[in-house]
Amino acid sequence: MLASLIVHLVDFSRRFALAVVLVTLVAATAMGVYVSHTIKINTDIDQLMATKLDWRQREHNLAAAFPHKQDRLVIVVDGVNADAAEDAASRLADALSDKPDLFKTVSRPDNIPFFRHYGLLLLPEAALSEILDTLIKAQPMLGSLARDMSLRGLFSTLSLALEGVKRGETDYQTLAPSFNLIAETIEKNLNGQDTLLPWQSMMSDHQPTLRDTRKFIITQPVLDFSALSPGQKARDEVKQIATQLGLTPEHGVTVRQTGSVALNDEEFASVAEGTELATAASVLLVVLLLFLALKSLRLILPILLTLFVGLIATTAFAMAAVGSLNLISVAFAVMFVGIAVDFGIQFGVRLRDEHHKEPDTATAMRNTAKLIASPLTFAAASSTLGFWAFLPTDYRGVSELGLIAGAGMVIAYLLNLTLLPALLSLFKPPAEPEAVGYAWMAPLDRFIETKRQPLTYGLAALGLLAVLTASQIRFDYDPLNLKNPNAESVSTLFDIMKDPNASPYTIEILAATLDEAKQLAAKLDALPEVDHTITLASFIPDDQDSKLALIDDANFLLGPTINPEAYLIPPTPTQQFEAMSTITDKLRKLGSDKKEAVRLADAIGKVIEADDLSVLEKVQFNLLSGLNNYLGSLHTLLSAEAITLDKITPDLKNDWVTKDGRARIEVHPKGNARDPEVLDAFTKAVLAVAPEASGTAVSIQGSGQTVSSAFLEAGLLALLAIASLAMLVLRKIKDVIRLLTPLLFAGALTLATMVLIHLPLNFANIIALPLLLSLGVTYAIYFLSYWKDGQVNPLQSSMARAVLFSAGTTLVAFGSLSLSSHTGTRGMGELLTLALLYSVLGTFLVLPVLLDRSPSVKQ
């Protein structure tokens, strides 16, 4: 009955070809217009998982409590010295704050009032003592400079220091680094660079650390989730402003961007960039394979047109049913092309074969329809069920992909029985002069027939070994492993992560009160998997009394020095030049072996030789403007008093305590959290103590478990549905086993190979598994239907040619993704290639071994 219905449908489409084509094209045009007005991609990755999940609920609660900590664009400012970094970060942050249309919030976490005032109290006591001792030793110089912030004051102070060297009271080596810094600053200014003298480095006995020369700006950009890169406008604005302000490597400053916004934006851009090359390569190779399979443009063009119309119709369905594509469901197009082209190839190759037997086109097309009616319907239904099995899962991104791709299979099936026959009737492909099958495959057919038993045992052993190996497959939950390591946002994040205290793999817990947070933090600190915890109370040091005593003593000595009651009258240009001449002479008298002194003398000499007031003013500004800021900062730090909760400023408190009093705990892992075992142990240990925990580590584990569970659930459901359909169609349990065995064999070999080549499953390549399911069953259906019809020598048939070229076109379409520069896309292409190769192996070797003799021969 089904075959008769399909034969009549195909014949109707052939007889009324022009009408069918015109109606379909009008409908396709209307759908194309609809798609052009409604198509959109929702790039909000937060919507890829079902919100009802427990870990998602906790994630949402934390985000609602601290909304200003979500969707951040982190700007990393590195300077050649601490002063350059601070000046650059300050100017850039001020400029971004003037752009409320692009940035909802702009903050400097390393420069908030609390740290500017209480920073010394937060240091370890040993480090505090060392810093204060250095400042006290520099008291004479600080006092001289505080009274006279001019070139005269600077060089007069250096002259006094040189007198100390001359008398043996001061070691020259303690001054040499300062000489180099001053000389370098003068040289750069004379060469046209506005470089500030790094007073923080000048007043330190140590080389500046990365924390000194790196500053952070945290922003919350306005995002456009209808765009491929939601934060692109804000990110472009940062680059533009940085360039306008001269914050470039040529001026000793590097500005980079990272954070969730930049990471996601560059992820999407990287995927799109890699997809362009893959698409171009796949289109060329698919067309080439279609030509090799069909040998005639009169067959190829109708198939491509049918494919194009089907893609438009499926996209229209997606917009009507879902409203927008997400970052996973957008892959429906690739899946549609990869599987729907199989339907067209099956029809086209079978038509070629029938046209060779029967010159009359109408008869050949009816015979073709009769031959493919059952297998094509079975294949389309199996593919549809395979995709729709994802509908009940909590992985919303794949659930929507399953809905769209499944509907696409139905659309492709109907179009290949209506539009394709109509187009073929109009294009009138010529009759075939020779048989379409593969006569050269006869030896392999004979080999399988004569060696069936040893092949069965060998394949069974291989399958068992593959299953045992596949059991070692692991799922890589870390999303960073899918990103392009060369992208600025990723490389910057990895650079930041070199600081063990800057790991993004933290866990966050929301306690009812700060007291509860402190108690819970103490329990968590006792866990061997936890390095340390942070709460708002962490900013109140326990040993304040001893530290305050040290600070008070230093302030008693330094306070009057850095805040003099009287200042010297600003010098005239003549006095400035006289001071420079004096210091130059003293520097040269130290001898030519004192390279730092000679360098500084040469630099000052060039300023004197220029004899230009504008040069003098520029050099003075860049040498001394940072001093005023330094002395002001020092005065603030030395006036610190005991820290209490009331003293903590809102810009810090708001990051840790909500308005209703709930307190956040931040838990840091011990060891390398990028190691899956370390992260898993850390997460389990913390959740055992605090089941309400959330944060990056919990989200990574939760999303990984959700995805793996979704695919396991959907895979089992799809197998059950396909097996039930097969039982309904084939009516024999042995035939159902024959159908599914090549699929299971290919799946086991695919997973086993992944284990052997150390390719884990991840959020990207796991999408290959439903494709393996759909394609593996589809290919097997064609072979099994051929066998059920009483045919022998399947590998020599036109059916085998159609399956082989169908697999080839799908292979190049998906395998071309391996050319992508994007790590996740490339891995998906590699896994798809593996899966398809093993599917072909299962279909062309395992299944023929199971099909011992055709049913008609048995009878």
Side-chain angles (χ1 to χ4, degrees), residues 67 129 135 170 192 295 303 347 383 490 502 575 592 619 625 640 662 668 727 731 735 744 760 809 834:
S129 297
L135 291 173
T170 304
K295 302 288 188 180
I303 290 175
F347 198 106
S383 296
V490 181
Q575 291 172 321
S592 59
V619 170
S625 62
R662 288 174 295 163
H668 289 252
M727 192 65 196
R731 300 184 182 279
D735 289 342
L744 299 175
T809 54
L834 270 178

Side-chain angles (χ1 to χ4, degrees), residues 24 45 129 148 256 322 340 371 425 440 462 474 601 614 653 685 773 779 788:
T24 306
I45 60 174
S129 297
D148 186 4
R256 296 175 292 170
V322 183
L371 281 173
S425 180
W440 54 269
L462 179 61
R474 68 180 182 88
S614 62
K653 183 178 289 186
L773 186 67
Y779 298 155
K788 292 282 285 182

Side-chain angles (χ1 to χ4, degrees), residues 165 199 203 228 373 389 396 440 488 493 526 700 703 778 787 844:
V165 173
W199 280 96
M203 303 308 299
L228 182 61
R396 180 180 171 188
W440 54 269
E488 179 185 285
L493 179 60
I700 288 175
S703 57
T778 298
W787 177 76
F844 278 76

Side-chain angles (χ1 to χ4, degrees), residues 513-839:
T513 64
L514 182 57
D515 287 337
E516 286 188 19
K518 290 163 62 178
Q519 294 172 9
L520 182 54
K523 292 181 182 178
L524 294 170
D525 278 323
L527 297 175
E529 296 84 1
V530 172
D531 185 79
H532 65 279
T533 61
I534 303 176
T535 68
L536 184 65
S538 302
F539 299 98
I540 305 176
D542 295 328
D543 49 357
Q544 290 192 76
D545 292 341
S546 57
K547 292 180 182 179
L548 282 171
L550 292 174
I551 294 173
D552 289 342
D553 289 345
N555 192 35
F556 178 77
L557 295 172
L558 294 172
T561 301
I562 61 178
N563 294 286
E565 295 181 358
Y567 298 90
L568 296 182
I569 299 173
T572 64
T574 301
Q575 291 172 321
Q576 302 269 53
F577 282 117
E578 287 176 355
M580 286 192 287
S581 297
T582 300
I583 188 63
T584 301
D585 292 341
K586 290 184 177 182
L587 288 168
R588 295 195 186 283
K589 287 178 181 179
L590 291 175
S592 59
D593 60 322
K594 301 295 191 290
K595 295 181 180 179
E596 298 86 1
V598 172
R599 181 186 181 187
L600 179 56
D602 290 343
I604 297 173
K606 290 178 182 178
V607 178
I608 296 173
E609 291 173 9
D611 194 21
D612 187 329
L613 288 180
S614 62
V615 173
L616 185 71
E617 290 173 357
K618 178 181 179 181
V619 170
Q620 175 169 286
F621 178 82
N622 285 320
L623 284 179
L624 293 160
S625 62
L627 175 61
N628 191 44
N629 293 334
Y630 177 78
L631 293 177
S633 174
L634 187 58
H635 171 70
T636 302
L637 287 168
L638 290 174
S639 61
E641 66 278 356
I643 303 176
T644 62
L645 278 178
D646 294 337
K647 301 283 181 63
I648 297 179
T649 52
D651 43 14
L652 177 61
K653 183 178 289 186
N654 291 342
D655 280 348
W656 296 94
V657 177
T658 63
K659 292 181 179 179
D660 59 5
R662 288 174 295 163
R664 183 171 69 92
I665 308 168
E666 189 172 275
V667 190
H668 289 252
K670 182 175 291 183
N672 178 18
R674 296 205 68 198
D675 182 331
E677 292 182 2
V678 172
L679 186 64
D680 184 57
F682 168 63
T683 306
K684 287 180 179 177
V686 174
L687 286 173
V689 176
E692 70 280 10
S694 183
T696 302
V698 174
S699 295
I700 288 175
Q701 296 287 84
S703 57
Q705 291 165 4
T706 299
V707 172
S708 55
S709 298
F711 278 88
L712 179 61
E713 175 189 340
L716 293 175
L717 183 60
L719 275 176
L720 179 61
I722 291 171
S724 301
L725 176 64
M727 192 65 196
L728 183 66
V729 174
L730 301 175
R731 300 184 182 279
K732 290 184 179 180
I733 189 68
K734 286 185 178 181
D735 289 342
V736 175
I737 294 173
R738 288 186 175 105
L739 176 70
L740 296 180
T741 298
L743 171 66
L744 299 175
F745 183 82
L749 282 181
T750 299
L751 295 177
T753 303
M754 292 178 68
V755 171
L756 295 176
I757 64 175
H758 305 292
L759 177 66
L761 287 171
N762 55 49
F763 295 110
N765 64 22
I766 199 171
I767 295 176
L769 297 185
L771 281 173
L772 169 64
L773 186 67
S774 297
L775 291 172
V777 169
T778 298
Y779 298 155
I781 285 171
Y782 297 135
F783 267 75
L784 194 61
S785 297
Y786 182 90
W787 177 76
K788 292 282 285 182
D789 287 340
Q791 305 294 321
V792 294
N793 301 322
L795 300 183
Q796 302 172 53
S797 66
S798 60
M799 175 274 301
R801 179 189 181 95
V803 170
L804 188 62
F805 276 99
S806 173
T809 54
T810 305
L811 182 64
V812 298
F814 295 153
S816 60
L817 295 173
S818 303
L819 302 174
S820 173
S821 60
H822 181 260
T823 306
T825 304
R826 184 171 63 251
M828 182 166 59
E830 292 169 353
L831 180 52
L832 284 167
T833 301
L834 270 178
L836 284 168
L837 287 174
Y838 284 132
S839 290

